[in-house]
Amino acid sequence: QVQLGESGGGLVQAGGSLRLSCAASGFAFSNYHMGWYRQPPGKQRDLVAQITSGGSTTYAPAVKGRFLISRDNAKNTIYLQMNSLKPEDTAVYYCNAIRAFYNYWGQGTQVTVSS
């Protein structure tokens, strides 16, 4: 059974920090590209950050320099360190795993940033 479980969301004031975690199981984690997506209220789901199986990272322009994605293959876990949070970062954050035609999603975790 493939499982992706996000945790670490919550309510934080603007300028604060949070760290999200995504624990994966049921597939060959180290062979997958992993990513974080987010969906603000009333908007589409968009890529926040991605880390490849080889460790290369990419970021959406809106979060570059503030967020950091990382992976720990020994723990089958990825992280999203979010610093200098802004109200516009408020969204449900989703964990994603992708390789070839395989594409898996977590259930999401809510991040709310107050002004």
Side-chain angles (χ1 to χ4, degrees), residues 18-20 34-38 46-52 55-71 78-83 89 93:
L18 286 172
R19 189 179 77 157
L20 306 184
M34 302 294 298
W36 289 98
Y37 288 70
R38 69 185 182 186
D46 289 323
L47 178 69
V48 176
Q50 185 181 59
I51 184 165
T52 69
S56 299
T57 59
T58 57
Y59 297 89
V63 309
K64 191 173 181 65
R66 298 188 296 121
F67 291 10
L68 180 67
I69 189 171
S70 60
R71 68 190 297 158
I78 65 165
Y79 305 93
L80 185 67
Q81 179 65 47
M82 304 185 294
N83 300 318
D89 296 319
Y93 283 71

Side-chain angles (χ1 to χ4, degrees), residues 1 5-6 11 17 20 23 26-27 32 38 40 42 44 49 53 58-59 76 79 82 87 89 91 93 107:
Q1 182 182 358
E6 301 97 334
L11 175 64
S17 298
L20 306 184
F27 63 97
Y32 278 69
R38 69 185 182 186
Q44 67 181 19
S53 59
T58 57
Y59 297 89
N76 285 4
Y79 305 93
M82 304 185 294
D89 296 319
Y93 283 71
Q107 292 294 102

